[in-house]
Amino acid sequence: MQSTNNWWQEIEQELERQFDRFLDDHPSQKELLEKEEANQKQKRLQLRLQTINEQADQLRSKLCKLSAEIKQWRQRVERAHKANATDLAAQAQDHLGQLMGKGRDCWQALAELGVEDQKLRQELEQIPNPNNNKPKYKQDIETAWEKFETDQALEDLKRKQR
């Protein structure tokens, strides 16, 4: 089994080397591959963000319902204390504690989703947008033009100093 696994790894490594050479020999294909990888990553991150938003909406809804329940049970605990129904007040207080624990859990989950959302948005900002990238020849000519203008300005300064 070891020799079969080793053989397979050697084939995989050789294919990777050939693919890397192909990409080195064909920069336009490498650029297309990088753009496609960036697009796929962007789609994955956006899909995860959408899922996070849906989960956050569900948690907010749950928190609203829990808030109403907590308010109701606080009033019940008060009423039971005022009526000297200590056993019932204790049971209601326990139930209120459970509801508040659920509320804390929801808030914690919502906070964690918020942190993940923020990280994903930062990651999305770092992905180069292939639609905004200028073609390489346009970058080259702009760089050359900027160099030309800088050289001209330098020449003008030298002439003025003479």
Side-chain angles (χ1 to χ4, degrees):
M1 192 75 174
Q2 183 68 16
S3 62
T4 306
N5 205 12
N6 194 22
W7 173 80
W8 187 255
Q9 286 175 340
E10 286 177 23
I11 288 176
E12 249 181 25
Q13 289 171 354
E14 180 58 30
L15 287 173
E16 283 182 37
R17 282 191 292 272
Q18 287 180 14
F19 185 64
D20 289 340
R21 275 186 294 223
F22 171 80
L23 291 178
D24 289 341
D25 292 344
H26 300 87
S28 62
Q29 292 298 315
K30 186 174 186 174
E31 191 176 317
L32 284 173
L33 179 64
E34 288 169 354
K35 283 181 181 180
E36 182 59 30
E37 287 173 348
N39 284 337
Q40 290 299 318
K41 184 175 184 178
Q42 187 176 24
K43 286 177 185 175
R44 279 193 315 274
L45 292 175
Q46 288 172 338
L47 186 60
R48 179 60 187 140
L49 279 171
Q50 184 180 355
T51 303
I52 286 173
N53 285 332
E54 290 168 2
Q55 289 174 333
D57 286 345
Q58 290 171 354
L59 284 170
R60 285 185 201 98
S61 176
K62 187 174 180 179
L63 278 167
C64 286
K65 289 176 185 173
L66 275 171
S67 175
E69 267 189 85
I70 287 170
K71 184 178 178 182
Q72 182 184 38
W73 281 97
R74 278 190 176 145
Q75 291 170 350
R76 288 177 178 177
V77 168
E78 256 183 60
R79 283 183 21 219
H81 277 301
K82 285 180 183 176
N84 286 328
T86 52
D87 288 343
L88 186 58
Q91 290 174 356
Q93 186 66 43
D94 286 346
H95 186 68
L96 178 62
Q98 290 173 1
L99 290 173
M100 291 178 75
K102 287 179 182 179
R104 279 189 296 275
D105 292 345
C106 282
W107 277 112
Q108 179 64 35
L110 193 58
E112 289 170 3
L113 286 175
V115 168
E116 186 179 357
D117 180 276
Q118 196 172 29
K119 285 180 184 178
L120 290 174
R121 289 184 189 280
Q122 288 172 347
E123 203 173 329
L124 260 175
E125 287 175 9
Q126 294 173 357
I127 296 174
N129 187 346
N131 299 327
N132 290 343
N133 289 347
K134 297 176 184 171
K136 184 145 179 66
Y137 71 88
K138 210 167 194 174
Q139 291 174 352
D140 291 344
I141 196 166
E142 286 182 12
T143 303
W145 187 258
E146 287 174 15
K147 183 180 181 323
F148 171 74
E149 287 181 330
T150 304
D151 290 344
Q152 291 296 308
L154 189 59
E155 287 298 318
D156 287 345
L157 281 174
K158 285 181 184 176
R159 270 186 254 135
K160 287 179 184 177
Q161 286 182 348
R162 291 183 196 156

